[in-house]
Every structure is written in C-alpha cells, then in structure tokens.
Amino acid sequence: MRCYAAFSHVDSKPGGLGGERSTASGRRSDSGQRRWKKAGTFGSTSVMAWCGYDAPQSIPHAGLDGYADGGAGSLGRFQDGLRASHDGVPSHNTVIGHSYGSTVIGAAASDGRSIDADDLFFVGSPGVGMDRVEGLSLEGIDPEQNGSHVYATAAANDPVPMIGDVFGGLAHGANPANDLPLIGFGATVVESAPGTGIDAGLLGELPSPAAHSEYWDRDNPALRGLGHVIAGLGAP
C-alpha cells in the first residue's frame, strides 16, 4: 500500500496483485501528488509505502478472498494509527484501492470491522466483497450516507471491473463503478478515460489488460478525480 500523507490530507493506497512493488507504483504516487496540488489546496504532503499483507501473486490467487481478509486487520490498524498520530486540525483521510487493493479495503470495512477514513476510492476494482455501498463501514459515517464518501472509477476497456459485472457474488461482489439504476453499487462514480483496447477488426475494440494500469496517466480524468477527492473536494 502507498500513502500520501499531508498535514491536512492523508491518502492511503493498499497494493493489489503482487503487492505492486514496481516503478509504476512510484509513478502513481507522483501523479497523485500533482493532482492533489492542482486541486487548489494548501499544505505539504509526504509519501509513505505500506505493504502490510500477503498480496496474491497470480491471477488465480486474486480470485480468492483470503488474501483480503488476511490484510483487513492490518490495514485497519494502520488507518487508526494515522488518525491517532496526527496533531492539529483533523486531517481528511482518503483510502484508495487499485485492483485487488480495493478488495482489501472492502474487507477492512465489513464483517464487523470499520475503517477510520473520511473517503474511500476504488480504482479498477474486481469487487469489494458486497453488492451495495451501504455494506461498508466508515468510522463516524452513517451507512446511508456512504454514497457521498465512497468513489469508484472503471475504464471501459479494463477487464478487471468486468469481473464484478459478470460474476458478482460468485467472485468479489458487484463492480463498485456500476451506477445503473436499481442495480448499481451506489458509490459516486468518477469518469475515466476508456483506456487502451485491442483492435479486433470487425468485432471492434475489445478489453485489454493495458487499460488496468492507465488510470494514472496524466490526462486521464480519473486521475483528476483522485486529486479532488484526496483534497476533500469530492468528485470534480
């Protein structure tokens, strides 16, 4: 997990498949910091990395809930520590989960557990362990108000969020970026660029794994949305 920690804003990010220990992780941190600054807030920010759970190391393992359940308590304690160690004006704490990292957040905020955060943001999520946003528990927030504190984005060409659309409860629950009437998850959905697709000729453009890592590209509106939420401004 990665954190952007600020005097007035704190952003934590659990790692997903393989723990995301790569140069791409640093690029995401840098991108988030730039967008946070462009959102028009004041203050300073630092970046911390946290990999406090055994992340799934393969796609088949990423279909299991056990890794998320195993990391839930550790993530919860980390967020408690961020809140307790902060001095001065209360910080606005946002927890961002990309890919399986979002599943870890869902586990940390359900089944009798609650996460100490003002906002959650799910990016390219395979599901967070439930079908409705009200199933998440954020400290001090009425579950009926969760839709205003939980954000999600999914690229049209990203195959990972499609897992929730197709398999639902047979996998990790609903796609949190599904905002269809009556059957939507209930989160505030933030626009994303469609991402890179595969040209299939007469079949048109098909989903591509490349789109799963493009939320952090400089011109992607999803990155702008992340900056706004980190700054405590809500969706752009």
Side-chain angles (χ1 to χ4, degrees):
M1 181 177 73
R2 244 172 347 278
C3 280
Y4 305 91
F7 293 119
S8 54
H9 306 276
V10 177
D11 162 27
S12 309
K13 183 187 176 300
L17 180 65
E20 296 178 339
R21 299 177 180 89
S22 67
T23 55
S25 295
R27 181 170 64 89
R28 293 170 194 169
S29 295
D30 293 341
S31 296
Q33 283 184 298
R34 286 196 299 268
R35 288 301 180 183
W36 181 81
K37 292 175 181 177
K38 286 183 179 180
T41 60
F42 298 93
S44 59
T45 180
S46 61
V47 180
M48 298 173 287
W50 181 87
C51 299
Y53 83 110
D54 293 324
Q57 300 298 309
S58 68
I59 292 176
H61 286 158
L64 303 175
D65 291 329
Y67 293 93
D69 292 336
S74 184
L75 175 58
R77 290 188 294 274
F78 181 74
Q79 290 303 127
D80 290 343
L82 285 179
R83 188 74 80 183
S85 62
H86 181 81
D87 293 327
V89 178
S91 57
H92 184 96
N93 292 11
T94 304
V95 186
I96 298 172
H98 174 238
S99 195
Y100 194 86
S102 67
T103 311
V104 179
I105 295 174
S110 61
D111 293 331
R113 295 179 287 260
S114 184
I115 194 164
D116 197 341
D118 298 287
D119 293 319
L120 307 178
F121 203 131
F122 304 132
V123 182
S125 173
V128 296
M130 61 202 65
D131 293 330
R132 286 289 304 173
V133 71
E134 292 85 2
L136 294 164
S137 179
L138 285 75
E139 290 284 345
I141 295 175
D142 183 344
E144 294 300 319
Q145 303 300 317
N146 279 356
S148 299
H149 295 272
V150 178
Y151 300 83
T153 189
N157 286 323
D158 183 355
V160 173
M162 297 178 188
I163 295 171
D165 290 327
V166 175
F167 296 104
L170 296 176
H172 298 305
N175 173 6
N178 183 340
D179 59 355
L180 293 175
L182 301 179
I183 63 171
F185 184 78
T188 298
V189 176
V190 174
E191 179 188 3
S192 172
T196 300
I198 298 173
D199 185 356
L202 295 177
L203 294 177
E205 194 170 56
L206 299 180
S208 167
H212 191 55
S213 299
E214 294 176 345
Y215 297 99
W216 323 101
D217 289 355
R218 184 182 297 270
D219 295 327
N220 195 325
L223 186 60
R224 181 173 63 251
L226 283 165
H228 272 252
V229 173
I230 291 168
L233 303 176

